[in-house]
Amino acid sequence: MIKGYARVSAVDQNLDRQLKQLNEDGCEIIYQEKVSGATTNRQELQKMLDELEKDDIVIVTDLTRISRSSRDLFDLVDIIKDKGASLKSLKDTWLDTSSENPYSQFLLTVMAGVSQLERDLAKMRQKEGVEIAKIKGKYRGRLKKYTEKHPGMNHAIELYKKGNKTVKEIEEITNVSRSALYRRLKELNIPQVVESRSMNEIIEERRKKRRERIDEVRYKIRRALED
């Protein structure tokens, strides 16, 4: 089935142009929403991903409609491909994972490499800044947000010990993040219950695998240059 996805950022913006293009390209179902594309936590996007079936084709008018960051785009492409479906952009004609086009995968790999390089450079600059601040005696380290007397964290630990709430529910009740809660549980040596993986956990696992693939490509290129 051919499925379309249309998005604008504000409620006063118009979806008509996108809907017209998607209909003309044969979309049988169109998921549409008026919400920021800064994250992938969008109701209609998640609904589309959940309802994807093997051999489905997802069409967008251009890539900025489905993702505003290359990092999120790579995650979405992986999720769509794992479902046996494919993604096609009408404006960005190079991206059409429904065909056995090696250029699509090549360009995605290059984009992933550039994205990873940008993150590595940002980390390097941050590290250099910390070292300079230490030399000048101005570095105080990361401020501890959750102290032993933090009411939200203590309530979160209480709820976790009772075992009748999921971690997601505890997050919503206490405003304590999952990662912060798990760190505190580890510090207190409280056994952690393994839950079914969230979409964020799945995405993080995919990012790790992608970094490994990029490192492998870098290694092969370096070896080829040495030879």
Side-chain angles (χ1 to χ4, degrees):
M1 180 178 287
I2 302 176
K3 299 178 177 180
Y5 177 78
R7 182 193 64 80
V8 289
S9 298
V11 292
D12 59 345
Q13 291 180 310
N14 200 309
L15 283 162
D16 289 350
R17 181 185 60 81
Q18 292 180 57
L19 297 177
K20 181 175 181 295
Q21 286 182 273
L22 294 173
N23 279 314
E24 287 176 349
D25 215 68
C27 291
E28 300 162 76
I29 298 176
I30 298 177
Y31 300 84
Q32 52 182 292
E33 54 192 340
K34 297 186 175 185
V35 64
S36 170
T39 73
T40 56
N41 187 24
R42 291 170 254 150
Q43 185 175 346
E44 287 300 304
L45 176 63
Q46 294 302 324
K47 182 182 177 184
M48 180 191 73
L49 294 174
D50 289 340
E51 294 178 356
L52 273 182
E53 296 180 355
K54 192 175 184 300
D55 296 327
D56 280 351
I57 300 175
V58 177
I59 298 180
V60 291
T61 55
D62 69 76
L63 290 180
T64 60
R65 298 307 88 204
I66 198 168
S67 172
R68 298 294 294 185
S69 80
S70 55
R71 189 177 183 183
D72 287 342
L73 173 62
F74 305 141
D75 294 331
L76 291 169
V77 168
D78 280 347
I79 291 170
I80 291 169
K81 287 170 71 175
D82 282 352
K83 291 245 182 179
S86 55
L87 175 65
K88 177 182 176 182
S89 169
L90 300 181
K91 179 181 177 182
D92 312 275
T93 53
W94 60 268
L95 180 60
D96 182 0
T97 62
S98 62
S99 64
E100 294 299 324
N101 182 357
Y103 290 106
S104 288
Q105 187 56 49
F106 169 73
L107 288 170
L108 280 170
T109 303
V110 171
M111 287 172 65
V114 171
S115 182
Q116 183 63 44
L117 176 62
E118 288 173 349
R119 290 194 293 274
D120 291 344
L121 289 172
K123 287 179 182 177
M124 184 178 72
R125 287 193 292 268
Q126 182 185 32
K127 187 177 179 181
E128 289 172 349
V130 169
E131 291 301 322
I132 292 170
K134 283 181 178 178
I135 293 171
K136 292 182 177 180
K138 296 180 179 180
Y139 183 68
R140 297 289 180 269
R142 184 177 177 180
L143 294 175
K144 191 171 182 179
K145 182 178 178 180
Y146 299 106
T147 62
E148 292 180 1
K149 295 182 180 180
H150 191 280
M153 177 60 80
N154 290 337
H155 186 36
I157 292 169
E158 249 179 65
L159 293 173
Y160 189 87
K161 284 180 177 177
K162 288 179 181 178
N164 58 354
K165 300 283 185 187
T166 65
V167 173
K168 184 173 178 57
E169 289 172 333
I170 294 173
E171 282 184 278
E172 292 171 352
I173 293 169
T174 64
N175 287 324
V176 171
S177 70
R178 175 186 294 260
S179 57
L181 174 58
Y182 280 141
R183 277 197 303 272
R184 188 60 181 149
L185 292 172
K186 188 176 181 181
E187 288 171 4
L188 297 174
N189 293 319
I190 297 173
Q192 298 177 21
V193 178
V194 178
E195 296 183 340
S196 59
R197 296 188 305 166
S198 67
M199 181 64 74
N200 285 338
E201 290 167 331
I202 293 171
I203 286 174
E204 189 54 42
E205 181 182 333
R206 297 186 190 287
R207 285 174 178 166
K208 183 180 177 182
K209 289 180 179 178
R210 188 179 302 111
R211 287 194 293 269
E212 290 172 354
R213 290 201 299 269
I214 292 169
D215 288 341
E216 184 180 352
V217 171
R218 285 175 176 168
Y219 174 75
K220 288 179 179 178
I221 292 172
R222 189 166 61 248
R223 286 295 300 274
L225 291 172
E226 289 172 356
D227 293 342

